[in-house]
Amino acid sequence: MTGLENTNVGSPAATQYPTRRALPHAPLLAAARGEKPAHRPVWFMRQAGRSLPEYREIRVGTGMLESCFDPDLVCEITMQPVRRHKVDAAILFSDIVVPLKAAGVDLDIVAGTGPVVAEPIRTAADVAALPRLEPEEVGAVARAVTMLTRELGDTPLIGFAGAPFTLASYLVEGGPSRNHEHTKALMHADPKTWHALLGKLTDIALVFLRAQLEAGVDAVQLFDSWAGALSLADYREFVMPHSQRVFAELESAGVPRIHFGVGTGELLGAMGEVGADVVGVDWRVPLDVAAQRVGAGKVLQGNLDPALLFAGWDVVDSEVRRVIASADRALATGATGHIFNLGHGVLPDTDPTILTRVVELVHSL
């Protein structure tokens, strides 16, 4: 026995995911369900990482991808910001290219650059040769999740995956891209191959997320990091159906589903239709404006500009209060909840004591 509680006996989700913890009072989960939490929940994207000296120390001599497949290391790194900052959720330490690497794609994460793919995928033959992901290939990640659910107590664990479009962009471009020229050329010049590629990547994302769910994560987030490079028309035609399938096929798990993209202010209406329970908003759009774009009935997450954490405490204090005031206006006009976060990930040189103070401030308001 794992000691974990089955919270939905007799439901389809309980049959599929029997190791779900019972966390009825966790503020993050309450907010994500549209309920009133005991306090406003807060966590930070990239909270586990380079901003923490204990992270830099434990990572010495170990590559990023190697770290992501070491359950003990994943567990420790994921726990570090929970211990330090007292955030309301842990997010699994991993990377969006982990399932691609696990499936057999030849790629590496290069320091200072990001994911680099040895042989970019740009033809129908390349897509046909893209390997499938089998659950056992991410067994190390699942083991880390199981370990974390025992360590975290009442703190929820968020699992995640890269959205099909963002994974496709890395594969087609061969790495990070400013203009996404190969990606956009493929989607428009050969839509059949494009949709075949995103169909395969949707399958990979689902295998990865289901492995995390079966191991016990309490919520999931789909990162579409590069979706902001698209027009609304392109997003709706070439991306949205595949992200919708991810969220639709995870609905039976019964956990909150979060969707986030960077630079997606013009896409928020469409992202509100994809099927997520919570829509993440970057720092460019005030939350009350985002609520109008997303539409009523959604929880919002965000959205302090991470760069402002370098401006000194007086500025940070003022900006946190501004974000919360904007969120409160969003709640008054149809949003069903708010989870405080940054508008993107914690920057590497951020002073961790500032993050701790932000958590304390959000909890006090």
Side-chain angles (χ1 to χ4, degrees):
M1 295 293 291
T2 64
L4 303 176
E5 295 182 50
N6 183 339
T7 62
N8 297 298
V9 175
S11 72
T15 302
Q16 189 175 5
Y17 304 113
T19 56
R20 184 76 57 242
R21 294 183 294 166
L23 300 174
H25 305 300
L28 179 126
L29 299 180
R33 291 190 296 260
E35 301 167 2
K36 185 172 178 59
H39 60 250
R40 191 178 309 249
V42 52
W43 69 280
F44 306 110
M45 290 178 283
R46 292 186 190 155
Q47 64 188 17
R50 291 171 291 176
S51 65
L52 299 182
E54 56 265 43
Y55 168 82
R56 294 194 292 270
E57 180 180 350
I58 201 171
R59 274 284 316 281
V60 170
T62 306
M64 177 62 182
L65 283 172
E66 182 184 352
S67 301
C68 293
F69 287 95
D70 181 329
D72 291 319
L73 201 53
V74 169
C75 185
E76 171 57 24
I77 293 171
T78 302
M79 290 295 302
Q80 287 174 349
V82 178
R83 297 190 197 108
R84 179 186 274 263
H85 303 312
K86 304 298 188 291
V87 283
D88 292 291
I91 184 163
L92 181 70
F93 175 74
S94 188
D95 190 273
I96 61 174
V97 299
V98 161
L100 299 178
K101 181 71 172 181
V105 176
D106 187 359
L107 61 82
D108 197 7
I109 298 177
V110 178
T113 300
V116 175
V117 179
E119 298 181 4
I121 292 177
R122 295 176 183 168
T123 69
D126 295 337
V127 173
L130 185 68
R132 295 174 58 87
L133 177 66
E134 301 298 334
E136 59 269 19
E137 293 171 327
V138 287
V141 176
R143 288 193 293 276
V145 170
T146 300
M147 294 167 63
L148 280 161
T149 59
R150 294 169 178 161
E151 292 284 333
L152 280 165
D154 294 333
T155 303
L157 175 62
I158 302 170
F160 76 90
F165 170 75
T166 290
L167 295 179
S169 177
Y170 282 119
L171 289 176
V172 175
E173 301 294 337
S177 173
R178 182 184 298 272
N179 299 311
H180 305 272
E181 57 266 36
H182 296 293
T183 305
K184 293 181 179 181
L186 177 61
M187 66 169 59
H188 282 276
D190 191 353
K192 182 177 179 181
T193 296
W194 171 260
H195 285 293
L197 172 60
L198 261 68
K200 281 198 163 190
L201 293 173
T202 299
D203 292 339
I204 287 173
L206 281 165
V207 170
F208 191 44
L209 289 167
R210 285 177 179 136
Q212 296 173 54
L213 286 161
E214 288 168 4
V217 298
D218 306 291
V220 292
Q221 177 159 307
L222 192 69
F223 283 90
D224 213 347
S225 307
W226 298 117
L230 298 172
S231 69
L232 177 58
D234 282 356
Y235 179 82
R236 285 191 175 276
E237 180 175 355
F238 296 112
V239 175
M240 189 171 168
H242 304 282
S243 294
Q244 282 178 318
R245 182 158 76 88
V246 174
F247 287 114
E249 294 196 20
L250 296 180
E251 184 175 8
S252 66
V255 305
R257 297 159 295 167
I258 309 168
H259 197 21
F260 174 74
V262 185
T264 53
E266 297 303 317
L267 308 181
L268 285 172
M271 292 179 72
E273 300 170 19
V274 166
D277 307 294
V278 182
V279 177
V281 183
D282 79 4
W283 69 92
R284 296 171 176 87
V285 181
L287 290 173
D288 53 339
V289 176
Q292 296 172 16
R293 297 182 185 182
V294 170
K298 296 291 183 181
V299 177
L300 299 181
Q301 179 174 278
N303 67 339
L304 180 68
D305 186 341
L308 296 182
L309 296 172
F310 294 80
W313 179 250
D314 287 347
V315 171
V316 173
D317 181 285
S318 175
E319 287 298 311
V320 167
R321 294 174 188 273
R322 180 191 61 78
V323 168
I324 288 178
S326 181
D328 287 346
R329 291 193 295 272
L331 292 170
T333 57
T336 54
H338 176 230
I339 298 167
F340 190 96
N341 207 311
L342 303 180
H344 197 198
V346 176
L347 297 170
D349 294 327
T350 303
D351 179 355
T353 62
I354 295 291
L355 292 172
T356 302
R357 293 183 71 182
V358 168
V359 174
E360 293 169 350
L361 175 59
V362 172
H363 285 170
S364 73
L365 295 175

